[in-house]
Amino acid sequence: MLESLSAQVVPLRSATDLVGPDGPRVDAVLLPGGESSTIDKLLRMFDLFEPLRTSVADGLPALGTCAGLVLLATEVDDRAPGQQSLGVLDVTVRRNSLGPQVDSAEVELESTLGAVRVAFIRAPVVTRVGPDVEVLAQHQGQVVGVRQGTVTGIAFHPELTGEPVFHRQLLDTVRRRSA
Ligand code: GLN
């Protein structure tokens, strides 16, 4: 999705991919879907957890989708044993709230960026929104998209339905910061 919007994408595998002697080597980070407890373990195993936390807390724009939202949150209900989160987005999320894999669904949502078509796969929901957090999207009365400053978390997968607005907003945030 980011490449289709003309961004250059690099995988982050170590702290040196993320931060150089003069600060971050990337303009933004995307924390993808997957399994948040596994991503958390890998981030810590490869010494990326703390550099990533510091970079995003210091203003590096971030977009987390699904498991990525769980990783960004300050509080996680139903966390796996020992699971940690970066704590850079002042919300509480509840994992696996929208049902198991078989209940995956494509839905149309209203968001602050307009009507969007997205996919939910074992999605979390946001159960508490901090005072500085803006709600971007709701689904069946539950908050599924949030933004705090340069950090955005969405409970769904826009990339699976080809919905570009959230990735475009991330790139707009990057442009605004460098202007
Ligand atoms: N349920 C997964 C988790 O807690 C997220 C699923 C997804 O990213 N599609 O990490």
Side-chain angles (χ1 to χ4, degrees), residues 134-173:
E134 178 196 354
V135 172
L136 298 183
Q138 299 195 41
H139 174 57
Q140 296 175 343
Q142 290 181 299
V143 174
V144 292
V146 284
R147 180 177 167 100
Q148 181 176 15
T150 53
V151 182
T152 298
I154 50 182
F156 42 82
H157 291 266
E159 79 285 3
L160 294 179
T161 50
E163 177 55 70
V165 292
F166 298 98
H167 295 74
R168 194 177 286 141
Q169 190 189 49
L170 178 69
L171 299 180
D172 288 343
T173 304

Side-chain angles (χ1 to χ4, degrees), residues 51-136:
L52 185 59
R53 197 192 63 70
T54 312
S55 300
V56 176
D58 287 348
L60 183 70
L63 171 63
T65 59
C66 204
L69 162 63
V70 176
L71 283 162
L72 291 170
T74 46
E75 289 172 81
V76 180
D77 286 343
D78 199 20
R79 63 176 73 218
Q83 178 173 359
Q84 295 180 22
S85 59
L86 297 166
V88 288
L89 177 56
D90 184 16
V91 293
T92 304
V93 298
R94 196 170 59 235
R95 293 174 64 225
N96 304 323
S97 257
L98 296 180
Q101 192 89 10
V102 289
D103 289 338
S104 300
E106 258 185 56
V107 302
E108 189 104 18
L109 296 180
E110 273 308 318
S111 78
T112 54
L113 302 176
V116 291
R117 188 166 182 81
V118 298
F120 284 102
I121 304 171
R122 288 192 303 124
V125 294
V126 176
T127 55
R128 180 193 62 87
V129 175
D132 299 326
V133 176
E134 178 196 354
V135 172
L136 298 183

